[in-house]
């Protein structure tokens, strides 16, 4: 560590410290108070009022409001101009209230979704940063950094602050976001006098010793002195959204599918609404004397008919066609245009007839005809509102946000929304070993030196040998890790800051009472360095000590280290290596079979030279005259939960492949322990990187399917494996943590980075990050991904069922003599039930254990399966049949039964029973839709979904209130029912539960059940 003296001038005090100690905790608090915290000011939020008004931009809502306003005018004319005291504003006011309620619910649902994503984005500030505080390396959240902090940076990190380099080794930085230069920029340490205040406004990204927040470290390592934080960084000044883990909230394939489905449903709904409008308008005209009166004036009749045709054509061109285009289905064929022309011409004819009647002083007949047509128009628009699932994409976003939040709470942080749905279709998981499958609680279990194996109980004897000091140097100096030591509750707690494997080696020295920092402080000059990489598989350091001696150290994979060695050191003797090579390889094989991760060490003394002489790293790396010192076998046992997680993958039809930089024997041993390689391993392959590289592209896909372990792998191997699996049609998860893992993470269907040990480059490239680096969290992600897709299907099944029944009732009612089986306010109430509350209830259903017994969901799977179609048709026809039987046969009606010749007021009890039966059917059908297959129960895990129960109970309570309390009943065209009527209706509507079960049985018997359990042996 260089002995830089640093000064921090604050308003009323002067803070001084050295680069070997860093800020103290007290000094850090003082700096934070003076310069502020490392937080960027978030962009201004959109006005809540504007967001609310935006909800009224929906074309169907505008049409409904227009028709309600027109109804208000007509009713006012009837009541005050013609003196018709029976005309009232209840229905009109009810429409306004229902529209307001629907928009409010949609508005608050979207606000809830936005808050979910805000909460997720805040998790991005929790990424740990390595900092020197109180003389020790520690980890802090990015927002806790202050001016004056000393930050450790290494390859793959993203600079969290602006700062000046105090130390830099072989450092190359990507700062293209600021300079536009695509090539990596070399950086070196400063030679300035370090008063931080003088650096505040005097540095730029073009300075060779300056790094700006957001710059990516591509190579080397460094120590950075923080000069700017938060909004005062270069990134903060230009207000650039460059946070590494920003969520991508653009449309995903699922939302695109749902938008397309919504468009198709909308067209059907609009077509049915048009038909209902035409039928109701025609009925009102045939029942009015106006057409026959007009017929008597033949010339006027002809003129009005022609005018109606012209006006109808104009309405088709400028109203109907744009409306259907807004639904995503433009009217392109002649037949479609003609079908749209007929109701437009009928509307024009009716309006012309009304105007003619007004000129003939037939005011009462004119307004009555206009009122009937307006009533038909409002009903038609209400049907469109019910049928058009305009809230479907929005509710899907809420489901995605809920899913993502739940996954985050279970250590699976989603960075791109598409990952939360794609992971449910995964068929292959390619996982790293260290820290993901294993505990990452590494500790040396074996040291091979002096031709002997030293176990932990024999480490004391090793420390007495002449070789010990050489091993201490090899471990302490050629390492970028640090130990953080603190006292907690009277106990000394030692934790690693940096690479866990290097940390385990430092802990090995700590246990031997060796201060690794003193060893490092003895270095007077670092001559050159090479960091460990997946391709190189070793690290190198050349240095000069206080005695002027120069030496190069290499640490890494045994086969790479041994290939560079010509000699070996046993105690204090250096002998030729070749006679002992077979013996050493034999010892390596035994250590690998014990599932130990092995690191070998070698050294070479360099000739004396003047202080200005440096070395080329590659030149030293290619030498083959190194002296072999020995190797250390590090134990990293499998996580206890991984065996069950791997088994869950197999049960779910998902292959698991382990990709590791460890030796083949060690990797296979771990793979057998966790069940990746099973007892029947005849068709399961374990290959090394060299063996994998020999496979040609033609045979690779077939071999890739059989691979279970890929040892000594490189990032190129990962990328090639993903590409081979894709050619075989697999959906692949790939985990990674290194700088060079980015191509494979991007190529995979779901790239998963390690949140604890992963580099910022890997996190930048990934779709998800594991907060705990645990393989079990990958399986949790698959579980939640499948649950998301199934919950969308549950909601769709419910919504389409209600749509189907409402459309049938509204269409068949006028044909069967029931002009308005459902009023506008009733239809809008049903719309609120199915478009919003039901979505929330069904989209929050918890994952079920059986979900991981199904085959993977194909990525191109239809949202609506044939089995769901059978259920929707069967349940819809059953409900409609019961509804009209109850209406015409007078079921549960204590007064006079329904009579088509009577007014709604005279049939009020029958129509109330009709409406109540329909809503209570949906009460039970929500439970039905929780089960999509025959092997699911409608009532499973209900206690774990309290939101579902609250919503179901709340809707039922509101339904009772709107029937039993007259102020509400006046708006919803209801009258109070007796207790026995409620009991009978509840018992009758429960029959939809066995009917839905029969639908699932029928779908299963016909082979239409899309979700089948895997064979048990899988």
């Amino acid at each position: 560590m260089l002995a830089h003296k640093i000064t921090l001038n604050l308003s009323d005090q002067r803070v001084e410290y050295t680069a070997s100690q860093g800020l103290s905790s007290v000094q850090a608090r003082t700096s934070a108070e003076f310069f502020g915290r490392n937080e960027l000011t978030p962009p201004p939020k959109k006005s809540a009022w504007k967001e609310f008004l935006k909800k009224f931009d929906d074309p169907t809502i505008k049409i409904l409001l227009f028709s309600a306003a027109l109804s208000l005018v007509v009713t006012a004319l009837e009541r005050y101009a013609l003196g018709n005291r029976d005309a009232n504003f209840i229905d009109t006011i009810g429409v306004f209230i229902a529209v307001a309620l629907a928009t409010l619910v949609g508005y608050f649902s979207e606000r809830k979704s936005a808050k979910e994503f805000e909460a997720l984005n805040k998790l991005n500030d929790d990424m740990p940063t390595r900092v020197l505080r109180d003389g020790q390396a520690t980890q802090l959240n990015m927002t806790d950094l202050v001016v004056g902090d000393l930050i450790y940076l290494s390859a793959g990190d993203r600079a969290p602050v602006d700062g000046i380099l105090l130390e830099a080794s072989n450092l190359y930085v990507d700062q293209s976001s600021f300079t536009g230069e695509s090539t990596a920029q070399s950086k070196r340490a400063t030679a300035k006098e370090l008063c931080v205040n003088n650096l505040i406004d005097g540095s730029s990204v073009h300075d060779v010793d300056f790094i700006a927040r957001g710059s990516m470290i591509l190579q080397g390592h460094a120590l950075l002195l923080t000069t700017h934080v938060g909004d005062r960084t270069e990134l903060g000044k230009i207000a650039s959204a460059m946070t590494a883990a920003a969520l991508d909230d653009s449309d995903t394939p699922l939302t695109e599918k749902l938008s397309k489905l919504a468009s198709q449903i909308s067209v059907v709904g609009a077509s049915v609404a048009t038909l209902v409008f035409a039928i109701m308008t025609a009925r009102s005209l045939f029942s009015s004397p106006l057409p026959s009166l007009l017929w008597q004036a033949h010339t006027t009749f002809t003129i009005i008919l022609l005018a109606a045709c012209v006006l109808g054509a104009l309405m088709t061109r400028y109203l109907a066609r744009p409306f259907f285009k807004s639904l995503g289905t433009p009217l392109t064929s002649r037949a479609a245009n003609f079908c749209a022309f007929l109701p437009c011409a009928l509307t024009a004819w009716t309006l012309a007839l009304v105007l003619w009647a007004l000129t003939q002083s037939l005011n009462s007949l004119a307004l009555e005809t206009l009122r009937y047509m307006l009533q038909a128009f409002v009903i038609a628009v209400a049907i469109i509102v019910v049928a058009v699932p305009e809230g479907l994409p929005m509710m899907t976003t809420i489901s995605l946000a809920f899913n993502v939040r739940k996954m985050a709470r279970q250590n699976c942080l989603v960075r791109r929304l598409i990952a939360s749905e794609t992971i449910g279709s995964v068929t292959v998981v390619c996982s790293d070993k260290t820290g993901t499958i294993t505990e990452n609680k590494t500790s040396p279990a074996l040291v091979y030196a002096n031709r002997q194996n030293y176990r932990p109980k024999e480490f004391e004897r090793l420390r007495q040998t002449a070789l010990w000091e050489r091993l201490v140097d090899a471990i302490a100096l050629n390492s970028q890790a640090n130990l953080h030591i603190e006292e907690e509750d009277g106990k000394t707690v030692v934790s690693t800051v940096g690479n866990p494997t290097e940390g385990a080696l430092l802990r090995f020295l700590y246990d031997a009472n060796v201060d690794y920092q003193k060893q490092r402080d003895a270095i007077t000059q670092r001559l050159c360095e090479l960091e460990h990489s997946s391709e190189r598989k070793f690290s190198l350091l050349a240095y000069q000590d206080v005695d002027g001696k120069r030496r190069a150290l290499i640490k890494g994979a045994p086969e790479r280290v041994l290939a560079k060695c010509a000699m070996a050191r046993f105690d204090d003797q250096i002998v030729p290596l070749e006679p002992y090579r077979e013996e050493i390889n034999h010892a390596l094989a035994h250590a690998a079979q014990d599932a130990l991760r092995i690191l070998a060490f070698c050294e070479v003394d360099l000739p004396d030279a003047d202080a200005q002489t440096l070395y080329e790293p590659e030149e030293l790396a290619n030498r083959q005259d190194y002296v072999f010192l020995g190797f250390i076998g590090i134990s990293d046992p499998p996580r206890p939960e991984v065996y069950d997680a791997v088994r869950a993958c197999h049960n779910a039809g998902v292959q698991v492949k382990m990709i590791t930089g460890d030796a083949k024997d060690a990797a296979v041993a771990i793979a057998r322990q966790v069940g990746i390689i099973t007892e029947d391993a005849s068709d399961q392959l374990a290959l090394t990187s060299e063996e994998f590289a020999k496979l040609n592209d033609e045979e690779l896909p077939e071999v890739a399917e059989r691979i279970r372990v890929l040892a000594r792998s490189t990032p190129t191997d990962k990328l090639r494996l993903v590409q081979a699996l894709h050619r075989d049609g697999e959906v692949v998860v790939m985990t990674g943590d290194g700088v060079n893992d980015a191509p494979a993470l991007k190529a995979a269907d779901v790239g998963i980075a390690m949140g604890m040990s992963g580099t910022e480059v890997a996190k930048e490239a990934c779709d998800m990050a594991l907060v705990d680096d645990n393989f079990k969290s990958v399986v949790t992600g698959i579980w939640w991904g499948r649950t998301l897709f199934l919950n969308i299907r549950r909601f769709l099944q419910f919504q389409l069922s209600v749509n189907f029944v409402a459309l049938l009732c509204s269409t068949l009612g006028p044909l069967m003599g029931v002009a308005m089986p459902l009023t506008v306010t009733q239809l809008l109430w049903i719309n609120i039930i199915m478009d919003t509350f039901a979505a929330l209830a069904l989209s929050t259903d918890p994952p079920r254990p059986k979900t991981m017994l199904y085959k993977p969901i194909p990525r191109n799977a239809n949202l609506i399966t044939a089995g769901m179609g059978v259920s929707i048709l069967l349940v819809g026809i059953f409900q409609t049949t019961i509804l009209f039987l109850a209406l015409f046969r007078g079921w549960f009606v204590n007064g006079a039964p329904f009579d088509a010749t009577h007014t709604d007021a005279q049939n009020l009890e029958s129509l109330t029973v009709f409406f109540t039966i329909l809503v209570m059917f949906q009460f039970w059908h929500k439970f039905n839709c929780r089960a999509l297959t025959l092997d699911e129960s409608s009532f499973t895990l209900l206690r774990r979904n309290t939101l579902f129960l609250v919503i179901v109970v709340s809707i039922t309570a509101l339904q009772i209130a709107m029937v039993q309390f007259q102020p509400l009943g006046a708006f919803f065209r209801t009258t109070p029912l007796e207790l026995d009527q409620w009991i009978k209706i509840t018992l009758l509507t429960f029959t939809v539960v066995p009917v839905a079960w029969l639908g699932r049985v029928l779908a299963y018997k016909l082979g239409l059940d899309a979700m089948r359990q895997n064979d048990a042996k899988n």
Side-chain angles (χ1 to χ4, degrees):
M1 176 73 69
L2 299 178
H4 286 290
K5 291 183 178 180
I6 304 170
T7 303
L8 194 61
N9 290 324
L10 306 183
S11 59
D12 57 351
Q13 59 181 299
R14 180 185 178 93
V15 173
E16 294 183 342
Y17 58 101
T18 65
S20 61
Q21 291 295 312
L23 290 172
S24 68
S25 298
V26 174
Q27 291 170 335
R29 284 195 294 271
T30 303
S31 177
E33 291 170 2
F34 188 79
F35 292 106
R37 286 164 53 85
N38 189 34
E39 295 176 328
L40 294 176
T41 302
K45 294 182 179 180
K46 295 179 181 178
S47 165
W49 179 247
K50 289 182 179 179
E51 287 294 302
F52 175 69
L53 292 179
K54 190 177 177 181
K55 296 301 298 175
F56 291 91
D57 284 343
D58 186 272
T60 54
I61 293 294
K62 287 181 178 179
I63 293 172
L64 193 57
L65 287 173
F66 171 76
S67 59
L70 193 58
S71 174
L72 184 66
V73 172
V74 171
T75 303
L77 287 174
E78 276 194 291
R79 185 176 181 86
Y80 300 114
L82 300 180
N84 181 6
R85 295 300 172 187
D86 292 330
N88 61 70
F89 301 96
I90 289 177
D91 282 344
T92 305
I93 295 172
V95 172
F96 281 119
I97 291 174
V99 168
L101 184 57
T103 50
L104 280 170
V105 169
Y107 166 74
F108 284 113
S109 296
E110 286 187 348
R111 296 282 290 182
K112 183 179 185 296
S113 177
K115 287 181 180 179
E116 291 282 354
F117 285 118
E118 277 183 31
L120 285 173
N121 278 324
K122 287 180 182 178
L123 293 173
N124 301 327
D125 294 335
D126 295 336
M127 293 299 181
T129 302
R130 292 180 294 160
V131 185
L132 182 64
R133 284 264 184 100
D134 295 310
Q136 288 200 80
T138 188
Q139 289 188 327
L140 298 175
N141 289 340
M142 188 170 68
T143 53
D144 293 329
L145 302 179
V146 299
V147 170
D149 263 330
L150 299 173
I151 314 295
Y152 294 104
L153 297 175
S154 57
D157 289 340
R158 186 181 290 278
V161 294
D162 285 5
I164 296 294
L165 291 166
L166 300 188
E167 293 182 3
S169 175
N170 198 29
L171 190 67
Y172 286 86
V173 176
D174 176 5
Q175 52 186 24
S176 57
S177 300
F178 301 96
T179 65
E181 299 172 358
S182 59
T183 57
Q185 303 299 305
S186 175
K187 296 282 185 176
R188 61 176 179 269
T190 184
K192 297 177 181 177
E193 292 295 326
L194 293 173
C195 176
V196 174
N197 300 68
N198 296 337
L199 303 174
I200 292 293
D201 298 312
S203 302
S204 78
V205 292
H206 298 288
D207 292 345
V208 74
D209 57 0
F210 179 81
I211 292 182
R213 175 174 178 165
S215 300
M216 187 70 75
I217 311 301
L218 300 180
Q219 183 176 316
H221 60 86
L223 182 68
L224 186 73
L225 170 64
T226 303
T227 58
H228 304 76
V229 294
D231 290 336
R232 300 188 69 180
T233 61
E234 292 295 314
L235 182 62
K237 290 176 185 177
I238 62 176
S240 176
M242 291 177 59
T243 47
L247 281 169
D248 178 6
D249 59 355
S250 58
D251 283 347
T252 69
L254 179 59
T255 55
E256 289 174 0
K257 278 184 185 179
L258 286 165
S259 296
K260 184 178 179 180
L261 177 63
S263 175
Q264 294 169 344
I265 297 172
S266 301
V267 171
V268 173
S271 302
V272 172
T274 303
L275 178 63
V276 170
F277 170 75
I279 293 172
M280 292 185 69
T281 303
R283 283 175 61 90
S284 67
L285 285 177
F286 291 141
S287 62
S288 171
L290 284 180
S292 59
L293 291 174
L294 180 60
W295 177 254
Q296 296 173 12
H298 296 292
T299 303
T300 305
F301 180 89
T302 304
I303 293 173
I304 289 178
L305 181 61
L306 291 174
C309 291
V310 173
L311 185 58
L314 292 173
M315 292 171 65
T316 305
R317 173 67 180 84
Y318 294 105
L319 292 177
R321 290 177 66 181
F323 177 72
F324 276 92
K325 187 176 181 180
S326 72
L327 297 179
T329 307
L331 301 176
T332 54
S333 66
R334 290 183 178 179
N337 276 278
F338 181 73
C339 290
F341 166 75
L342 288 178
C344 290
L346 183 61
T347 303
W349 164 259
T350 306
L351 290 174
L353 189 62
V354 169
L355 290 174
W356 174 82
L358 291 173
T359 63
Q360 303 298 311
S361 299
L362 301 172
N363 296 343
S364 179
L365 288 175
L367 286 178
E368 184 180 2
T369 302
L370 181 61
R371 182 169 59 81
Y372 277 126
M373 188 198 74
L374 186 60
Q375 185 184 62
F377 182 72
V378 171
I379 289 289
V381 173
I383 291 173
I384 293 175
V385 172
V386 172
V388 174
E390 71 284 337
L392 186 55
M394 180 268 293
M395 296 312 298
T396 304
T397 302
I398 291 176
S399 300
L400 282 166
F402 173 83
N403 219 58
V404 167
R405 191 73 184 274
K406 286 291 186 181
M407 290 170 71
R409 289 173 183 168
Q410 298 193 33
N411 301 317
C412 200
L413 178 62
V414 176
R415 293 186 63 254
R416 296 183 177 90
L417 277 183
I418 187 173
S420 64
E421 59 186 72
T422 305
I423 198 169
S425 302
V426 160
T427 59
V428 177
V429 174
C430 300
S431 174
D432 287 337
K433 177 184 78 69
T434 304
T436 306
I437 289 175
T438 60
E439 292 183 343
N440 212 13
K441 295 180 179 178
T442 52
S443 60
L446 170 71
V447 178
Y448 177 84
N450 298 324
R451 300 177 62 193
Q452 298 181 51
N453 285 328
Y454 295 89
R455 300 289 179 179
K457 293 182 179 180
E458 302 167 308
F459 285 169
E460 182 61 37
R461 187 162 56 87
L462 170 65
R463 296 166 195 152
Q464 309 303 318
T465 66
L467 191 59
W468 173 246
E469 290 300 324
R470 299 278 181 169
L471 286 173
V472 168
D473 284 345
I475 293 170
L477 304 182
N478 190 11
S479 171
Q480 298 303 319
N482 288 281
L483 297 181
H484 179 74
I485 304 168
E486 60 182 344
E487 297 292 328
E488 288 186 6
D489 300 327
K491 295 181 180 179
T492 302
V493 178
V494 181
S495 56
T496 297
V497 180
N499 182 278
T501 302
E502 290 188 341
L505 295 176
L506 294 182
R507 179 64 185 263
F508 174 58
L509 298 184
Y510 175 84
D511 292 339
N513 296 317
V514 174
D515 186 347
Y516 71 91
Q517 193 58 56
K518 284 186 178 180
Q519 303 293 125
R520 294 179 182 179
D521 291 342
I523 294 178
T524 59
Q525 187 178 14
R526 288 178 177 265
L527 304 175
C528 68
E529 290 183 75
L530 281 178
E531 290 191 336
H532 184 279
S533 70
S534 299
E535 295 91 348
R536 192 181 296 121
K537 297 191 183 300
F538 66 85
S539 62
L540 178 147
L541 168 68
Y543 68 95
Q544 179 174 301
D545 63 19
V546 292
D547 298 326
K549 299 292 185 181
R550 295 188 168 201
R551 183 181 297 165
L553 303 173
I554 288 181
K555 172 185 87 240
E559 66 274 14
R560 298 292 177 92
V561 171
L562 286 169
K564 301 179 185 302
C565 295
M567 309 297 285
R569 181 181 289 275
F570 301 139
D571 283 326
D572 55 357
Q573 293 184 347
I574 297 178
V575 298
L577 175 67
E578 200 56 38
Y580 305 98
R581 193 176 293 275
E582 185 177 346
E583 177 184 324
I584 293 171
N585 286 333
H586 185 70
L588 286 168
H590 274 285
Q593 289 170 3
D594 290 338
L596 299 180
R597 185 175 193 182
I598 302 169
L599 290 174
F601 302 86
C602 65
E603 65 177 14
V604 65
D605 290 329
L606 302 174
D608 294 341
D610 61 80
Q612 304 303 316
T613 302
L614 299 179
Y615 295 90
E616 287 295 329
E618 295 300 334
E619 179 186 341
L620 291 179
N622 291 330
R623 292 179 60 158
Q624 294 185 330
D625 59 346
Y626 282 82
V627 179
F628 176 73
L629 299 178
F631 66 78
I632 297 180
I634 298 175
S635 171
D636 187 10
R639 295 178 184 266
E641 64 272 20
V642 168
Y643 180 84
D644 290 336
V646 171
R647 184 176 177 82
C649 283
H650 291 164
N651 289 338
V654 178
Q655 285 187 24
V656 180
K657 304 179 188 296
M658 188 171 76
I659 304 175
T660 178
D662 287 357
K664 181 177 177 179
D665 290 344
V668 168
I670 292 290
R672 289 187 185 279
Q673 290 179 39
V674 299
I676 292 175
I677 294 179
T678 58
E679 294 180 2
D680 182 18
S682 57
D683 62 340
Q684 301 171 13
L685 297 178
L687 301 179
T688 63
S689 176
E690 290 76 10
E691 293 168 337
F692 185 72
K694 293 177 183 177
L695 298 171
N696 59 51
D697 291 342
E698 287 73 25
E699 63 180 332
L700 187 57
E702 187 274 329
V703 175
E705 287 291 326
R706 298 168 55 202
I707 290 175
R708 294 298 179 269
V709 172
L710 186 56
R712 293 298 188 210
S713 67
T714 67
T716 304
D717 295 333
K718 285 187 171 185
L719 178 59
R720 193 166 176 237
L721 179 61
V722 170
Q723 292 169 340
L725 292 169
H726 278 168
R727 290 203 298 274
D728 214 35
E730 303 289 358
V731 181
V732 184
V733 160
M734 174 65 73
T735 71
D737 54 11
V739 176
N740 295 323
D741 286 338
L745 293 176
K746 283 184 174 292
D749 299 279
V750 181
I752 299 181
M754 301 299 107
M756 295 173 63
S757 61
T759 62
E760 288 299 319
V761 173
K763 294 171 187 174
E764 178 81 9
C766 76
D767 304 297
M768 300 172 65
L770 303 185
V771 177
D772 58 354
D773 291 9
N774 194 333
F775 179 82
K776 182 183 178 183
S777 297
V778 178
V779 182
T780 300
I782 296 173
W783 197 20
W784 276 97
R786 291 185 173 194
T787 299
L788 168 68
F789 194 85
L790 295 178
N791 282 348
I792 294 295
R793 277 183 170 170
R794 291 180 178 111
F795 165 56
L796 279 175
Q797 181 165 289
F798 177 78
Q799 183 179 28
L800 295 182
S801 297
V802 181
N803 271 356
F804 186 45
V805 174
L807 291 177
L808 281 179
C809 290
S810 300
T811 307
L812 295 177
L815 296 176
M816 301 172 70
V818 188
M820 291 180 62
L822 297 168
T823 66
V824 177
T825 49
Q826 288 173 348
L827 285 170
L828 289 173
W829 166 242
I830 293 170
N831 183 54
I832 293 170
I833 293 175
M834 67 182 182
D835 250 4
T836 306
F837 293 120
L840 286 172
L842 293 169
S843 66
T844 57
D845 230 28
R848 306 180 188 184
K850 284 188 176 181
T851 302
M852 291 300 285
L853 296 178
Y854 298 140
K855 297 176 182 177
I857 301 169
R859 225 175 354 185
N860 59 350
N862 291 324
L863 290 171
I864 302 173
T865 66
M868 290 170 62
V870 169
S871 178
I872 290 167
L873 287 173
L874 183 63
V875 169
I877 293 171
F878 171 76
Q879 288 188 32
T880 306
T881 302
I882 293 297
L883 282 165
F884 281 106
L885 282 175
L887 182 66
F888 288 114
R889 298 205 172 188
W891 292 355
F892 318 136
V893 176
N894 295 331
F898 177 81
D899 189 330
T901 62
H902 290 172
T903 64
D904 284 354
Q906 293 171 311
N907 289 320
L908 189 57
E909 186 182 12
S910 297
L911 293 172
T912 300
V913 169
F914 183 92
F915 176 50
T916 305
I917 291 175
L918 174 60
V919 174
M920 290 305 295
F921 263 137
Q922 310 326 313
F923 168 85
W924 294 112
H925 196 48
K926 285 190 191 71
F927 293 94
N928 285 334
C929 292
R930 297 184 71 245
L932 292 171
T933 60
L934 187 58
D935 59 353
E936 286 186 323
S937 168
S938 299
F939 303 96
T940 188
L941 297 180
L942 267 179
R943 287 183 296 179
R944 287 181 53 192
N945 193 352
T946 53
L947 181 60
F948 178 90
L949 295 174
V950 168
I951 287 174
V952 169
V953 171
S954 299
I955 290 175
T956 306
L958 286 171
Q959 177 65 23
I960 293 172
M962 71 176 58
V963 171
Q964 297 301 117
F965 297 102
Q966 268 312 291
L968 286 173
F971 284 111
F972 287 94
R973 198 187 67 181
T974 60
T975 188
L977 299 178
E978 300 293 335
L979 178 61
D980 68 309
Q981 291 175 296
W982 279 104
I983 293 173
K984 291 173 183 177
I985 289 172
T986 303
L987 292 175
L988 173 68
T989 53
F990 178 77
T991 56
V992 77
V993 174
V995 169
W997 178 81
L998 288 174
R1000 295 195 292 273
V1001 171
L1002 181 61
Y1004 183 84
K1005 294 294 185 182
L1006 295 175
L1008 302 177
D1009 191 342
M1011 301 296 291
R1012 295 292 188 95
Q1013 287 192 26
N1014 290 322
D1015 194 296
K1017 67 183 179 182
N1018 287 339

